[in-house]
Amino acid sequence: MSGTAQIGVTGLAVMGRNLARNFARNGLTVAVHNRSRSRTDALVEEFGSEGTFVPAGSAEEFVAALERPRRLVIMVKAGEPTDAVIQEFVPLLEPGDVIIDGGNAHFEDTRRRERELRERGIHFVGAGISGGEEGALNGPSIMPGGPAESYESLGPLLERIAAKAPDGTPCVSHVGPDGAGHFVKMVHNGIEYADMQLIGEAYHLLREVAGYSPAKIAETFRGWNDGRLDSYLIEITAQVLAHTDAETGKPFVDVVADRAEQKGTGRWTVQIALDLGVPVSGIAEAVFARSLSGHAELREASRSLPGPVAEPLDEAAAARFADRVEQALYASKVVSYTQGFHQIQAGSEAYDWGVDPGAVAALWRAGCIIRAAFLDRIRAAYDGRPELPSLLADKDFAAEIGAAQEDWREVVATAARQGVPAPGFAAALAYYDALRAPRLPATLTQGQRDYFGAHTYRRTDRDGAFHTLWGGDRSEVTA
């Protein structure tokens, strides 16, 4: 078997299979391999007419099928399975060859793998891929990190299969060194968690407070998708809410158990944000909301707790409230992206990656789960001011959020009065107010820390660190 394939994919579950088909559909010769030969044969038999596939029954055959520099994409489960595949193939590769991990790996694992393989002259690329099964087949958003030189040979191939933004630009570019690509994909997923939670809260408020049926809420979301909330998640939300369960004839959402699951990337986002000292309260609330939904026994034991029961509004008041919810959803969504981009900037600084936030926004304009029309505006904001400390420091976004805040506050207050949980909306508003507050109660917190732990504090009237002797005379000393 001569080296004729321009790229190879090993791991032919749904994502790997669809990615291989995407490469082939776009005119590339693709080597395909799976530990179970049956999957390889099934792919070629079912989809061989879509392009040129080179099936391989062993690792040796797979590597031999690849032209130099060899480029092989690993599409297996994150963690130990990925390490096992790398260990299997590395002895068969040569300096200059490129391994691409397209799974949802933890970025620290990617940094380790890149460092280890670099010593052997092999390029390791951690590529975040978003878009699910459909995106893998028809065009995902791709976030590759790793050695810049590896992108010279890999980039043109990825650009063929990536989603295309409305202006025709492929949604792929080199994000930064080692784990930068998987870090950005992790934050993407964190924003996704927050976005979905906020949409869920909007639905819940329209259902419980406005008294709307799922079909009516679907209609409302379709209207929102024609405006500034235009996005993939809003689009599919309308479809989910309009769907009727075939077996019962009930609205689909009424037959689904209210327990949301998660694969872990949202938790990673929050954990790493804590390590970096970055406040991502909206993302954290979304992660905790999913966790709380799964504690069925705790929730059942708490059903009888006292509190208000939501009373649906009359038709006119409900329509006004729906407009307020749209404002709250948009404002909270901007805050979620603000927190996510802050985390990307902090990670880039901590790991010396040089990630361009405007370029990241451009990658997310198509193909990925959080694709939304306003990402063009986010890209423009960062391109216009590369040093922009926060999206809320952009005058256009700040003006929009300022205009939305009265309705936003009313929605959060209404949710509290009616007993409808809205942790995402409330956390986003609290973040906004904390940023604009002239003074925060951290003054008292720091005083308490100095009292019980002599942790010192700083003063507003002079430089230095100070400690109060909390005895009788309470004298201050410079630390």
Side-chain angles (χ1 to χ4, degrees):
M1 186 183 297
S2 59
T4 59
Q6 294 147 296
I7 196 160
V9 178
T10 180
L12 300 178
V14 176
M15 283 291 289
R17 180 187 64 192
N18 283 2
L19 202 65
R21 293 172 60 197
N22 193 349
F23 281 121
R25 285 175 166 190
N26 282 280
L28 298 173
T29 299
V30 188
V32 288
H33 169 264
N34 195 80
R35 288 202 171 192
S36 171
R37 178 63 191 250
S38 60
R39 280 189 174 176
T40 306
D41 294 339
L43 168 61
V44 175
E45 180 178 352
E46 188 172 357
F47 303 109
S49 62
E50 294 183 341
T52 305
F53 296 98
V54 181
S58 67
E60 290 78 8
E61 289 180 9
F62 181 65
V63 170
L66 298 168
E67 66 179 26
R68 296 288 313 277
R70 301 181 182 95
R71 291 158 294 209
L72 57 151
V73 181
I74 297 174
M75 296 298 294
V76 301
K77 290 183 179 180
E80 292 182 2
T82 299
D83 282 324
V85 172
I86 292 172
Q87 291 167 11
E88 180 181 9
F89 281 98
V90 164
L92 306 174
L93 301 178
E94 299 174 83
D97 290 346
V98 184
I99 295 178
I100 305 102
D101 176 12
N104 269 336
H106 194 288
F107 79 97
E108 287 287 14
D109 286 339
T110 303
R111 298 187 75 213
R112 169 180 57 80
R113 291 165 183 151
E114 193 277 334
R115 184 172 58 251
E116 292 171 352
L117 294 180
R118 188 194 321 148
E119 296 176 356
R120 305 184 64 154
I122 297 171
H123 298 302
F124 186 77
V125 173
I129 299 176
S130 178
E133 298 173 17
E134 180 183 351
L137 180 61
N138 298 315
S141 169
I142 310 175
M143 296 150 261
E149 56 267 35
S150 66
Y151 195 77
E152 295 176 8
S153 67
L154 179 63
L157 308 189
L158 297 182
E159 288 167 9
R160 288 203 197 186
I161 69 163
K164 305 302 184 289
D167 62 5
T169 304
C171 289
V172 58
S173 64
H174 182 246
V175 174
D178 55 73
H182 276 142
F183 185 95
V184 167
K185 174 58 163 56
M186 174 192 74
V187 175
H188 164 284
N189 285 21
I191 295 173
E192 177 186 313
Y193 274 54
D195 214 344
M196 293 173 69
Q197 174 64 24
L198 294 170
I199 291 171
E201 291 178 16
Y203 152 74
H204 201 193
L205 287 163
L206 292 177
R207 189 88 189 260
E208 298 298 320
V209 178
Y212 285 178
S213 67
K216 174 67 173 177
I217 302 173
E219 179 184 339
T220 301
F221 272 87
R222 280 193 292 269
W224 289 352
N225 199 51
D226 289 333
R228 62 184 179 175
L229 284 170
D230 177 10
S231 65
Y232 173 72
L233 283 172
I234 293 291
E235 176 187 344
I236 67 169
T237 296
Q239 295 180 28
V240 171
L241 289 170
H243 185 62
T244 299
D245 177 58
E247 185 175 337
T248 64
K250 295 179 179 179
F252 172 75
V253 289
D254 287 349
V255 301
V256 177
D258 61 342
R259 294 189 294 275
E261 299 177 1
Q262 53 187 309
K263 290 187 175 180
T265 47
R267 288 197 299 268
W268 289 353
T269 308
V270 177
Q271 289 164 354
I272 300 305
L274 290 171
D275 292 340
L276 293 170
V278 177
V280 293
S281 50
I283 297 171
E285 286 293 353
V287 172
F288 288 132
R290 290 197 191 188
S291 297
L292 189 149
S293 75
H295 285 271
E297 292 183 3
L298 174 63
R299 293 173 59 201
E300 181 62 32
S302 306
R303 295 262 192 262
S304 60
L305 289 173
V309 176
E311 299 181 3
L313 302 170
D314 62 46
E315 184 176 353
R320 290 193 297 272
F321 182 70
D323 289 339
R324 291 183 185 274
V325 172
E326 189 272 345
Q327 293 272 26
L329 177 56
Y330 181 76
S332 300
K333 181 184 180 80
V334 171
V335 167
S336 296
Y337 280 75
T338 297
Q339 293 179 354
F341 275 96
H342 183 195
Q343 183 167 359
I344 289 172
Q345 289 172 301
S348 178
E349 182 177 349
Y351 297 105
D352 195 26
W353 284 330
V355 177
D356 178 353
V360 170
L363 295 180
W364 294 345
R365 291 181 297 160
C368 70
I369 304 303
I370 64 171
R371 59 186 183 265
F374 84 152
L375 280 159
D376 259 325
R377 294 180 52 212
I378 294 177
R379 180 189 62 165
Y382 281 111
D383 286 350
R385 285 182 59 191
E387 78 289 352
L388 191 69
S390 161
L391 276 180
L392 297 182
D394 175 77
K395 63 181 180 60
D396 293 332
F397 279 114
E400 283 187 316
I401 301 307
Q405 67 170 311
E406 181 179 342
D407 289 329
W408 191 10
R409 295 180 191 283
E410 183 58 33
V411 166
V412 172
T414 298
R417 286 194 299 267
Q418 297 273 32
V420 179
F425 284 164
L429 181 58
Y431 176 86
Y432 174 81
D433 281 338
L435 289 181
R436 54 181 290 277
R439 294 274 285 172
L440 292 171
T443 55
L444 179 58
T445 301
Q446 201 60 21
Q448 292 167 331
R449 294 182 73 243
D450 188 63
Y451 191 106
F452 66 68
H455 292 296
T456 76
Y457 54 88
R458 297 188 181 276
R459 297 180 59 92
T460 60
D461 53 1
R462 57 185 185 271
D463 293 334
F466 297 85
H467 167 55
T468 293
L469 300 176
W470 294 97
D473 59 359
R474 290 182 171 81
S475 61
E476 289 179 351
V477 295
T478 302

